[in-house]
Amino acid sequence: MEKKMKPQIEFSHVLGELSVNRNDPCEVLRELISNSYDANATQIHYLPMKDVSGLAFWDDGSGLSISKKANDITPWEAFFSIGKSTKKKGDAIGYKCQGSKLCFACSRILVATTENIKNGSWHYKVIENPRSNLDTEFNIAPDSTADITSIIDRFFTTSTSDTSAAIDNLKASLLKSESDSRTLIIIDNLDTENFEKHFAIGEKPEESYAYNYIRLYTSHGDVRQLTKAQGYSPAQVTQLSTNLKKVEFHIFAEKKQIKIPFGYPYLEIPPKIDPNIKSPAEVSRLRDGNFYSRAAKRFKVGTQVFSIALAIDGNRRAHNEYKYLGRKGAAMSGIKLSDHRGAFVSVKGIKICRYHDLLANLAPYDVMVEGDSPSHFSLILDGDFDLVTNRNALSKKAYDTLSDPGFLVEIKKFLDERANADAIFAELLSRLRKESSELKLNEQISNLDQAKSEIKSRERFRIKDANGVQHLFLSPRAGEEYLVGILYSQLANFLPKQPGFEDYWRRIVTFSTQGIDSIGLRNETAAKPLESSNLCSVEYKYEFNNNGPFNHALAVVDYIVAWQIDVDESKKVRDTFTCFGDIAKVSGNDFEWEITNIEDQNAATYSQTIKVICLKSLIAHTFGVKFLKP
């Protein structure tokens, strides 16, 4: 009787909703490469087949055992399961076994493995429409064969010349391998937009998206792999690059096989010092810089080990040397150069995300992430950081580590050492600070010039003082509550001698940007003007209305002075605390309202009456002025 094996799926909806990440279409490739590295492979073979929007991928890692269990599940079962894995957290970058499930976003898939090729047996499974058919009742028990090439031939019923060449290479490379164990995955019709753009390899592999993606975003592009040719010292190479897994990565495309170098593509430096290359202090425009410098360090915080690699390459050098990364006006491989400049976090060698906060909160190095400053360097911090489930971002625990004071001390120590020992880095910092200051000053000048220019179009009015001298004033605009307060305070000194409106103008003695805006005097000629009973609180608004809550407690306000008023007397005035009251216009004028019957939600009552003044209307009545606008 045939033995049945069933996948374990913790989240039943996942497979049905599975699709390749549109923002990161090669994520499936990244996950396959991570699995190969986790399986201690020494060879990886990737064969894109653009004619069928598919691919073949095989490695000589430990294979998918159908008998040996870890975490109560075999590797074979784990591959087809959701939320189950043989990996333990900390042992490998992936441990939830969800990333490789992107393989199932296709029309057909062949999974084949052998734990010991010497016994001549391959285990394999072909699944049609895996997203629909693969569930907890599906039998994933593998079939067996001694001739995997015939299974491959049957999988591809028809093929073009290019696909046939890839199939022939696939079969030959599998047979040629001397490894005892291998795992093969063939995907037909991957559900992704523009397969050829993202997965295919062209005549010039270095121009292809997939080639650059492998070097920039996967385990094969390990950021800890440094070389002397890149400008790193022997000690730095030893610290970061010793004992790294280095896999031979072969791609077969356009009927030829190529090998992808191991390690992140830091630029190599000239073998001899070029006297024509100017330092950051010497270039007239920093963005034209061809300067370079390198530094790296391994350090511990508690029991955790981290590494940091700084590659300074002036903006012009980066543009010239990263020939296949896109920049303005040139899409090239489709991967942007700007996405790889600045500060980043990586996990076990895989660059995960940009993280400028690492420098933004670390003065005086915060200038390195202002404006265009990141175009001159890449700084990659690597550690065993926690990732969220899809492994494209850091977890809260990782961010807690990155903001830990002890951790930041080590980062600053590294940067301080470089600033003291490396003239290029020191000069770059100096130029960045200078340009940052100049930029901020220019922004202030520009803002001032714009403000001066806009003044000419603003509404204005004029008032004569007691000596008949005419003074010009500008009307406030939305958001200029402070100007409302200045006008109310200042114009109280211009009151005409004839009585009638002086009771509406309080003598203001304080201004504050926190709490109550102003304290005023009820009676300036009182015997004790600063006595509590003679003081009143004044709030300023550009517009006062009762559509939303008032941002101060009504119980502590005596006057509200607003440039314009738009209230619905049928609605209550409410504050952001618990008070509310009625508002009504005072008969006899068009600039005064009163808020009365104030109480809170607990039915506590407040006896004061709040005066609400429309300042624009009060000015017109008090001084008889006209408001003019060009």
Side-chain angles (χ1 to χ4, degrees):
M1 184 175 180
E2 181 187 6
K3 180 182 178 182
K4 289 191 176 182
M5 299 174 70
K6 297 179 180 180
Q8 300 177 39
I9 301 175
E10 289 188 348
F11 313 107
S12 58
H13 67 282
V14 172
L15 279 173
E17 297 176 358
L18 197 66
S19 63
V20 174
N21 188 334
R22 297 303 192 251
N23 296 321
D24 187 9
C26 282
E27 183 183 2
V28 60
L29 193 54
R30 182 193 71 183
E31 297 304 325
L32 290 172
I33 295 170
S34 286
N35 285 347
S36 298
Y37 270 80
D38 292 343
N40 296 310
T42 63
Q43 286 191 57
I44 293 174
H45 290 254
Y46 168 55
L47 302 90
M49 300 174 184
K50 60 185 179 182
D51 299 318
V52 293
S53 295
L55 59 91
F57 185 98
W58 77 268
D59 66 51
D60 63 353
S62 54
L64 298 174
S65 174
I66 63 171
S67 58
K68 297 176 183 177
K69 287 191 175 184
N71 296 339
D72 295 322
I73 193 170
T74 65
W76 178 268
E77 291 170 300
F79 185 86
F80 294 98
S81 299
I82 297 290
K84 295 291 184 180
S85 176
T86 58
K87 301 173 186 176
K88 294 181 180 179
K89 189 172 182 179
D91 291 341
I93 189 168
Y95 67 94
K96 295 185 179 179
C97 203
Q98 289 181 228
S100 58
K101 303 308 168 280
L102 293 169
C103 293
F104 300 135
C106 63
S107 60
R108 299 168 73 231
I109 186 171
L110 163 65
V111 181
T113 189
T114 177
E115 298 174 66
N116 187 350
I117 195 64
K118 292 177 182 177
N119 66 18
S121 179
W122 281 81
H123 303 293
Y124 72 95
K125 191 73 179 179
V126 175
I127 303 177
E128 303 284 342
N129 297 316
R131 281 179 297 185
S132 301
N133 294 326
L134 189 60
D135 57 26
T136 54
E137 296 304 314
F138 190 87
N139 183 14
I140 58 172
D143 297 312
S144 296
T145 182
D147 183 12
I148 191 63
T149 59
S150 64
I151 304 302
I152 294 172
D153 287 334
R154 288 207 301 269
F155 187 83
F156 293 100
T157 53
T158 59
S159 60
T160 63
S161 174
D162 280 347
T163 300
S164 294
I167 295 170
D168 289 343
N169 178 271
L170 170 62
K171 293 186 293 185
S173 62
L174 282 170
L175 295 173
K176 184 179 178 181
S177 173
E178 297 180 356
S179 173
D180 286 344
S181 58
R182 299 162 215 173
T183 298
L184 167 67
I185 296 169
I186 303 179
I187 296 171
D188 184 18
N189 194 20
L190 184 68
D191 180 14
T192 183
E193 294 178 357
N194 205 335
F195 177 92
E196 185 168 351
K197 174 184 175 182
H198 294 113
F199 290 88
I201 304 293
E203 284 287 343
K204 296 181 179 179
E206 296 86 355
E207 295 181 0
S208 303
Y209 183 96
Y211 181 97
N212 287 280
Y213 184 92
I214 290 167
R215 296 214 64 194
L216 291 164
Y217 290 111
T218 74
S219 297
H220 195 67
D222 196 316
V223 302
R224 300 165 297 181
Q225 172 65 7
L226 312 180
T227 68
K228 290 173 63 178
Q230 295 164 345
Y232 292 99
S233 72
Q236 292 165 354
V237 171
T238 299
Q239 278 194 51
L240 270 67
S241 306
T242 301
N243 298 324
L244 293 181
K245 297 177 183 177
K246 299 179 183 179
V247 178
E248 283 193 10
F249 200 124
H250 302 276
I251 292 179
F252 184 84
E254 299 293 333
K255 300 183 180 180
K256 62 183 179 182
Q257 185 161 292
I258 62 167
K259 187 176 177 181
I260 299 185
F262 172 74
Y264 189 80
Y266 300 106
L267 295 179
E268 293 190 357
I269 63 172
K272 295 181 180 179
I273 296 176
D274 187 344
N276 296 317
I277 294 179
K278 296 179 179 179
S279 72
E282 295 171 330
V283 292
S284 57
R285 297 190 307 174
L286 198 55
R287 67 184 181 184
D288 292 331
N290 278 295
F291 49 83
Y292 55 84
S293 181
R294 299 288 186 268
K297 183 180 181 180
R298 189 170 182 264
F299 62 93
K300 291 182 71 174
V301 178
T303 59
Q304 289 186 287
V305 178
F306 303 92
S307 65
I308 187 166
L310 174 62
I312 295 174
D313 293 291
N315 178 71
R316 180 54 51 201
R317 173 175 160 80
H319 272 249
N320 291 341
E321 299 297 323
Y322 282 112
K323 298 177 182 179
Y324 307 114
L325 298 186
R327 69 288 313 270
K328 275 186 178 178
M332 304 305 290
S333 66
I335 296 178
K336 295 180 181 178
L337 171 61
S338 58
D339 289 343
H340 302 279
R341 311 300 289 160
F344 299 86
V345 171
S346 70
V347 178
K348 293 188 176 180
I350 303 177
K351 192 170 70 173
I352 300 298
C353 62
R354 191 193 299 274
Y355 188 64
H356 280 182
D357 284 356
L358 183 69
L359 298 172
N361 300 318
L362 202 66
Y365 303 104
D366 50 347
V367 70
M368 293 176 68
V369 290
E370 291 181 1
D372 294 330
S373 298
S375 67
H376 303 290
F377 72 94
S378 70
L379 184 145
I380 306 180
L381 173 71
D382 184 83
D384 189 9
F385 297 103
D386 273 359
L387 299 175
V388 296
T389 301
N390 66 6
R391 292 166 49 185
N392 285 319
L394 301 171
S395 68
K396 180 182 181 303
K397 183 179 178 181
Y399 285 118
D400 288 343
T401 299
L402 289 164
S403 59
D404 179 77
F407 177 84
L408 293 175
V409 164
E410 292 296 330
I411 301 298
K412 189 172 186 303
K413 186 189 298 183
F414 169 78
L415 296 171
D416 287 345
E417 290 169 355
R418 300 317 308 157
N420 291 326
D422 182 356
I424 296 296
F425 185 43
E427 287 183 20
L428 177 60
L429 287 174
S430 179
R431 282 295 299 269
L432 292 177
R433 292 187 193 110
K434 180 182 178 183
E435 294 196 358
S436 176
S437 297
E438 290 175 351
L439 178 63
K440 291 175 181 176
L441 177 60
N442 289 337
E443 286 178 355
Q444 291 294 317
I445 292 172
S446 176
N447 291 339
L448 178 59
D449 289 342
Q450 184 177 354
K452 287 180 178 179
S453 176
E454 290 179 349
I455 277 180
K456 299 175 183 178
S457 63
R458 292 186 63 156
E459 184 180 76
R460 75 284 303 264
F461 59 94
R462 291 176 170 83
I463 293 177
K464 289 183 179 180
D465 63 18
N467 298 318
V469 178
Q470 202 169 59
H471 298 270
L472 175 67
F473 299 91
L474 297 179
S475 297
R477 285 180 170 179
E480 294 184 338
E481 284 82 4
Y482 204 69
L483 181 54
V484 174
I486 290 172
L487 288 174
Y488 184 70
S489 173
Q490 195 173 19
L491 296 184
N493 298 311
F494 287 80
L495 291 178
K497 293 181 180 179
Q498 62 270 31
F501 297 98
E502 62 274 9
D503 286 345
Y504 299 102
W505 296 88
R506 300 298 91 194
R507 178 77 169 91
I508 300 301
V509 294
T510 70
F511 271 97
S512 174
T513 57
Q514 297 179 343
I516 294 297
D517 290 340
S518 285
I519 299 296
L521 304 178
R522 296 181 186 275
N523 181 3
E524 190 175 359
T525 61
K528 297 179 180 180
L530 298 182
E531 194 170 48
S532 179
S533 60
N534 194 48
L535 302 178
C536 59
S537 58
V538 185
E539 275 295 309
Y540 306 114
K541 306 287 288 182
Y542 174 76
E543 178 184 89
F544 179 80
N545 60 62
N546 55 347
N547 294 326
F550 183 61
N551 62 343
H552 287 274
L554 293 171
V556 300
V557 177
D558 296 309
Y559 285 83
I560 298 173
V561 178
W563 186 248
Q564 58 189 37
I565 293 177
D566 180 19
V567 297
D568 181 350
E569 295 183 25
S570 67
K571 295 168 57 178
K572 299 284 186 182
V573 176
R574 299 181 182 276
D575 62 21
T576 53
F577 298 85
T578 62
C579 293
F580 56 91
D582 299 318
I583 187 167
K585 195 169 188 177
V586 176
S587 61
N589 62 55
D590 61 357
F591 57 78
E592 181 184 11
W593 282 257
E594 289 182 344
I595 300 175
T596 58
N597 303 322
I598 300 170
E599 63 178 270
D600 65 18
Q601 290 179 350
N602 295 320
T605 59
Y606 301 89
S607 60
Q608 91 268 27
T609 295
I610 300 175
K611 292 283 187 181
V612 182
I613 303 295
C614 177
L615 183 58
K616 185 173 184 178
S617 182
L618 177 61
I619 291 171
H621 283 281
T622 303
F623 301 101
V625 302
K626 292 184 179 179
F627 296 89
L628 301 174
K629 188 172 183 179

